[in-house]
C-alpha cells in the first residue's frame, strides 16, 4: 500500500499484533484485493540472525531486542518464585523465539471445546485448517498437508542417549510413535519442527513476508496500540503510538485483536472492556462489562529432572570445550545440522499419569544436555534433562492491568499447582521419570539423579522440591475465553460478546489449554478465523 504522509487512515481491517495469528490474518485477508488491511506490531523486524538460527532462542529469550522481558508475580506453588515470562517482541511473535515444535494437541481437546458449546471447533472441524497451511516433509496424507505455508520438518540431528531413552520408555510400555499429530499423541518420538533446511521457519516467513508485496496490506512496526476506539457498542478504530507520535487508524469493517494471551486482555481493559469495578478503581471509564477478560489463564508447568550419565555423549562436553564449540559452528555452517540446528527439546514422550485416563496427560521434553537453571551454563559432566509437564492443569490464573499506564506489563498470576490434582500429577510425573531411568537398557550409562535429587522421597518433600525447580514452557492461553456463558469473552465466531466490529484471534480464546505445544493451534485458529471473517462480509 502506498504510504500516506501520515500513519493515520481508514482500512477495512485493522489487525493489532504481528505475531503468529496476526501474520496468518494479514496474509489471508489481504489475498482479496478489494479490501485494505493494516497490521500494527509493537515490536520490530525479525531481521536478526539469532531469530533464524535454531539455537538462537538462547539469545532471544531475555534479550530486550526480541523479548518483552515480562515476569510473573511470585507464585505460592513455586515457593514464592517469580518466573521470567518471555513473549516475542518482533514480527512473528513467539514463533520467532519459541521451541519450533510442531504439535496440534489431541482430538479430544477440540471435541471438548465443542462440548462446551463452541460449535464448529471439534476435531473434525479444525483438522482441515491444520492441513490447509501445512507443508509436511512426508507429503500429503489423510493427516498431513503439503504445499502450505507452514513448513514441518524432521530435526537434523542424532543422539544415542536420546534413542536409549526411547528404548527405556518402551520397556515400561510407552511405545515409539512416528506421528504425534494424528489425533492422539501417545508414545515417544523425535519432535517435528517448524524449520526449513535447518533454519527456523517463523510466521513472518511463512505468511507475512509473501503478503507484504501486496499493495492493499500495510505493516507498521514499533506501533504500540494503547486503546480500541468504541462508539455505541461498536469498535471503530485504534489509538497507537510510534516514535513519539500519536495516531488513529479507523476500521470500516473489523478490528482483529491478535496481541496474544497476555496483551489482548491488557488492551481490552485499557479500552474500558472488562470488570467494571476493577477498571473504575484504576480511573478507567468502564465502557463494556465483560468479567471474563483476563481470567481463565492457563499454562503448562514443566518439571526439570536431571540425570548424570556415564559412557554416553551429551552436548555438555562438546559445548564446554573450545574444539567442541568450533566443531559445532563448523557443522552448522557447512551442513545446517548439529547442535546449532537443535530445537530446545528433541525427543518427546506422551504418557498418562493414571492408567484410567482416556488419553495422555503428561508430555516429556528430553534433551541431551543439562544445567542447574535455564539460562545457566551447561554442566561440565555428561547429563540429560528429562522434563515433564501436566498437559491439562486444573489450576487457572489471571492477567490484569494494575495501572492506567499502558507501557506497564499486566499482573500475571498463573497459580501453578494451586489445584490438588495438579500437585498429585506433579509428584506422579517425577516418580514416572525416575522409573524410566531405571530401565535395563540404560544400566550401561549408570544414571545418577541430580535434580530434584535421590534423597528427596516423600510426597511432601518432592512437592517442595518441584516448587524450586519447575518452570513455565510459555504456553499462556485462555484469557479471552471462547464460549456462550457469562464468563466467556468471545463467541464461537470469535466476536466479542456485546461489541460489534471486534474479534479476538489468538491463544487467549482457548477455553481449555490443548494437550501439547500451542504455536500451531494458534495458526489453525487464525486460519479458521480468516474464513469466518470473509464469510461474514459476503
Amino acid at each position: 500500500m502506498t504510504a500516506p504522509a501520515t500513519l493515520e487512515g481508514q482500512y477495512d481491517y485493522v489487525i493489532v499484533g504481528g505475531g503468529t495469528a496476526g501474520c496468518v490474518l494479514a496474509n489471508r485477508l489481504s489475498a482479496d484485493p478489494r479490501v485494505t488491511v493494516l497490521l500494527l506490531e509493537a515490536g520490530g523486524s525479525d531481521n536478526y540472525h539469532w531469530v533464524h538460527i535454531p539455537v538462537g532462542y538462547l539469545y532471544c529469550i531475555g534479550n530486550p531486542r526480541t523479548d518483552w522481558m515480562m515476569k510473573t508475580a511470585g507464585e505460592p506453588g513455586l515457593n514464592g518464585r517469580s518466573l521470567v515470562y518471555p513473549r516475542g517482541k518482533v514480527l512473528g511473535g513467539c514463533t520467532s523465539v519459541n521451541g519450533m515444535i510442531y504439535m496440534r494437541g489431541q482430538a479430544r481437546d477440540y471435541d471438548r471445546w465443542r462440548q462446551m458449546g463452541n460449535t464448529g471447533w471439534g476435531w473434525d472441524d479444525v483438522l482441515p485448517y491444520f492441513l490447509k497451511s501445512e507443508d509436511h516433509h512426508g507429503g500429503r496424507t489423510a493427516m498431513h498437508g503439503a504445499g502450505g505455508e507452514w513448513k514441518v520438518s524432521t530435526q537434523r540431528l542424532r543422539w544415542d542417549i536420546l534413542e536409549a531413552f526411547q528404548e527405556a520408555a518402551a520397556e515400561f510400555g510407552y511405545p515409539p510413535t512416528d506421528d504425534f499429530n494424528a489425533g492422539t499423541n501417545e508414545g515417544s518420538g523425535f519432535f517435528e519442527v517448524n524449520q526449513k533446511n535447518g533454519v527456523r521457519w517463523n510466521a513472518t516467513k511463512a505468511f507475512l513476508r509473501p503478503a507484504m508485496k501486496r499493495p492493499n496490506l500495510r505493516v507498521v512496526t514499533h506501533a504500540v496500540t494503547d486503546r480500541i476506539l468504541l462508539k455505541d457498542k461498536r469498535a471503530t478504530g485504534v489509538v497507537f503510538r510510534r516514535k513519539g507520535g500519536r495516531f488513529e487508524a479507523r476500521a470500516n469493517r473489523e478490528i482483529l485483536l491478535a496481541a496474544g494471551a497476555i496483551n489482548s486482555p491488557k488492551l481490552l481493559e485499557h479500552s474500558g472492556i472488562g470488570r467494571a469495578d476493577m477498571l473504575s478503581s484504576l480511573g478507567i471509564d468502564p465502557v463494556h462489562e465483560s468479567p471474563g477478560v483476563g481470567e481463565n489463564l492457563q499454562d503448562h508447568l514443566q518439571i526439570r529432572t536431571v540425570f548424570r550419565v556415564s559412557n554416553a555423549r551429551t552436548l555438555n562436553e562438546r559445548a564446554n570445550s573450545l574444539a567442541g564449540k568450533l566443531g559445532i559452528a563448523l557443522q552448522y555452517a557447512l551442513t545446517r545440522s548439529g547442535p546449532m540446528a537443535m530445537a530446545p527439546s528433541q525427543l518427546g514422550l506422551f504418557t498418562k499419569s493414571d492408567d484410567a485416563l482416556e488419553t495422555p496427560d503428561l508430555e516429556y521434553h528430553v534433551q541431551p544436555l543439562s544445567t542447574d537453571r535455564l539460562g545457566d551454563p551447561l554442566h561440565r559432566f555428561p547429563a540429560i534433562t528429562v522434563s515433564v509437564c501436566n498437559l491439562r492443569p486444573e489450576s487457572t490464573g489471571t492477567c490484569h492491568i494494575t495501572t492506567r499506564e499502558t507501557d506497564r506489563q499486566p499482573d500475571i498470576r498463573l497459580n501453578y499447582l494451586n489445584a490438588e490434582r495438579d500437585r498429585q500429577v506433579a509428584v506422579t510425573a517425577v516418580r514416572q521419570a525416575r522409573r524410566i531411568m531405571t530401565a535395563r537398557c540404560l544400566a550401561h550409562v549408570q544414571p545418577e539423579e541430580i535434580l530434584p535429587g535421590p534423597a528427596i522421597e516423600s510426597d511432601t518433600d518432592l512437592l517442595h522440591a518441584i516448587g524450586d525447580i519447575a518452570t513455565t514452557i510459555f504456553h499462556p492461553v485462555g484469557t479471552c475465553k471462547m464460549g456462550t456463558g457469562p464468563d466467556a469473552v468471545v463467541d464461537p465466531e470469535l466476536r466479542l460478546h456485546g461489541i460489534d466490529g471486534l474479534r479476538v484471534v489468538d491463544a487467549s480464546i482457548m477455553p481449555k489449554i490443548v494437550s501439547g505445544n500451542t504455536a500451531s493451534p494458534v495458526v489453525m485458529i487464525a486460519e479458521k478465523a480468516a474464513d469466518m471473517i470473509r464469510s461474514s462480509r459476503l
Side-chain angles (χ1 to χ4, degrees):
M1 183 178 299
T2 302
T6 174
L7 290 174
E8 296 187 312
Q10 292 196 2
Y11 305 84
D12 290 305
Y13 299 103
V14 175
I15 303 168
V16 180
T20 310
C23 289
V24 177
L25 289 171
N27 181 299
R28 299 307 188 215
L29 296 177
S30 67
D32 183 348
R34 297 170 297 177
V35 303
T36 54
V37 180
L38 172 67
L39 176 65
L40 298 174
E41 165 56 35
S45 167
D46 66 338
N47 186 22
Y48 179 49
H49 66 285
W50 284 125
V51 166
H52 307 291
I53 299 172
V55 78
Y57 72 93
L58 291 170
Y59 307 102
C60 289
I61 291 175
N63 179 346
R65 175 173 179 169
T66 49
D67 181 1
W68 286 108
M69 307 289 288
M70 294 184 182
K71 290 186 176 181
T72 71
E75 289 286 336
L78 302 185
N79 303 330
R81 288 187 299 135
S82 170
L83 302 181
V84 295
Y85 214 65
R87 299 282 86 199
K89 192 183 176 182
V90 294
L91 289 171
C94 288
T95 65
S96 295
V97 300
N98 70 1
M100 296 163 281
I101 292 173
Y102 179 72
M103 189 67 60
R104 298 172 181 169
Q106 299 170 3
R108 73 178 302 279
D109 297 332
Y110 303 100
D111 289 342
R112 186 181 183 189
W113 290 8
R114 181 169 55 194
Q115 290 162 6
M116 295 172 71
N118 294 297
T119 303
W121 289 91
W123 174 250
D124 291 341
D125 302 308
V126 303
L127 180 58
Y129 290 103
F130 281 113
L131 300 178
K132 177 179 180 179
S133 54
E134 187 179 17
D135 187 18
H136 192 266
H137 63 89
R140 189 179 306 279
T141 66
M143 282 294 162
H144 290 286
E149 295 86 353
W150 199 224
K151 294 191 181 296
V152 180
S153 304
T154 57
Q155 296 190 64
R156 300 159 72 95
L157 53 87
R158 182 181 178 278
W159 292 92
D160 289 341
I161 189 64
L162 296 184
E163 293 179 5
F165 182 90
Q166 187 176 34
E167 185 180 348
E171 278 191 30
F172 290 100
Y174 312 129
T177 180
D178 59 1
D179 193 352
F180 284 136
N181 291 294
T184 177
N185 43 23
E186 190 160 10
S188 68
F190 285 87
F191 288 120
E192 296 175 322
V193 290
N194 296 119
Q195 293 183 8
K196 179 183 179 182
N197 299 327
V199 176
R200 178 188 292 273
W201 192 254
N202 63 358
T204 314
K205 295 175 185 174
F207 299 99
L208 185 60
R209 198 156 290 141
M212 288 175 71
K213 303 171 186 176
R214 299 169 182 162
N216 60 330
L217 171 64
R218 186 175 190 196
V219 178
V220 182
T221 56
H222 303 291
V224 180
T225 303
D226 285 334
R227 187 162 53 94
I228 299 167
L229 297 171
L230 300 163
K231 182 178 181 181
D232 299 327
K233 294 290 185 177
R234 180 175 181 84
T236 60
V238 298
V239 176
F240 67 96
R241 289 176 286 118
R242 188 175 190 273
K243 296 184 178 180
R246 182 181 179 279
F247 308 94
E248 291 185 7
R250 299 285 173 169
N252 296 326
R253 295 181 183 271
E254 294 188 51
I255 294 166
L256 307 172
L257 186 50
I262 302 302
N263 282 322
S264 282
K266 173 188 174 184
L267 182 54
L268 289 174
E269 289 181 337
H270 278 299
S271 304
I273 300 171
R275 272 181 33 215
D277 59 339
M278 187 200 76
L279 297 177
S280 295
S281 71
L282 298 176
I284 296 172
D285 291 333
V287 176
H288 179 69
E289 176 78 13
S290 183
V293 171
E295 299 290 310
N296 193 47
L297 177 59
Q298 301 157 61
D299 190 13
H300 289 140
L301 181 70
Q302 176 175 256
I303 305 165
R304 297 174 58 252
T305 69
V306 173
F307 296 84
R308 184 170 184 160
V309 296
S310 304
N311 308 312
R313 179 169 161 266
T314 73
L315 184 58
N316 289 5
E317 310 91 272
R318 293 190 69 185
N320 276 306
S321 74
L322 179 59
K325 290 176 181 176
L326 291 174
I328 288 169
L330 185 61
Q331 183 179 9
Y332 188 75
L334 295 177
T335 67
R336 292 292 184 266
S337 65
M340 289 186 69
M342 283 169 50
S345 296
Q346 299 78 45
L347 183 73
L349 170 65
F350 290 82
T351 68
K352 300 173 185 176
S353 65
D354 185 334
D355 289 339
L357 293 173
E358 177 188 353
T359 59
D361 66 332
L362 297 178
E363 178 181 7
Y364 287 72
H365 295 81
V366 189
Q367 305 149 328
L369 53 86
S370 66
T371 66
D372 287 330
R373 288 176 298 274
L374 291 177
D376 283 1
L378 298 184
H379 289 141
R380 302 195 72 85
F381 51 81
I384 66 169
T385 299
V386 181
S387 296
V388 58
C389 70
N390 179 358
L391 290 170
R392 292 192 286 277
E394 293 183 359
S395 303
T396 60
T398 59
C399 177
H400 291 297
I401 61 174
T402 59
T403 174
R404 294 180 62 181
E405 298 176 26
T406 56
D407 280 334
R408 294 277 297 275
Q409 78 151 73
D411 181 60
I412 304 169
R413 297 179 182 269
L414 279 301
N415 293 332
Y416 294 120
L417 302 177
N418 182 59
E420 173 60 27
R421 173 160 176 76
D422 291 353
R423 295 192 290 272
Q424 294 171 356
V425 171
V427 170
T428 299
V430 172
R431 295 196 187 283
Q432 188 182 92
R434 286 173 163 175
R435 182 166 173 256
I436 293 172
M437 294 302 293
T438 67
R440 291 187 304 275
C441 69
L442 290 177
H444 72 286
V445 301
Q446 303 170 0
E448 176 188 344
E449 183 177 327
I450 303 297
L451 289 177
I456 300 172
E457 268 299 328
S458 72
D459 286 2
T460 300
D461 289 346
L462 198 51
L463 189 62
H464 183 81
I466 287 167
D468 285 338
I469 63 176
T471 189
T472 174
I473 45 176
F474 323 126
H475 294 166
V477 308
T479 49
C480 296
K481 175 183 175 181
M482 171 175 60
T484 56
D487 62 340
V489 177
V490 299
D491 68 12
E493 298 278 313
L494 308 189
R495 300 169 298 201
L496 201 98
H497 286 297
I499 299 289
D500 291 332
L502 177 60
R503 297 189 208 226
V504 182
V505 185
D506 54 36
S508 71
I509 65 92
M510 294 186 187
K512 291 290 182 181
I513 195 167
V514 294
S515 300
N517 308 73
T518 52
S520 291
V522 172
V523 172
M524 175 277 293
I525 289 168
E527 288 278 25
K528 184 170 171 59
D531 264 7
M532 293 188 292
I533 294 164
R534 287 192 296 256
S535 296
S536 70
R537 73 170 185 254
L538 296 178

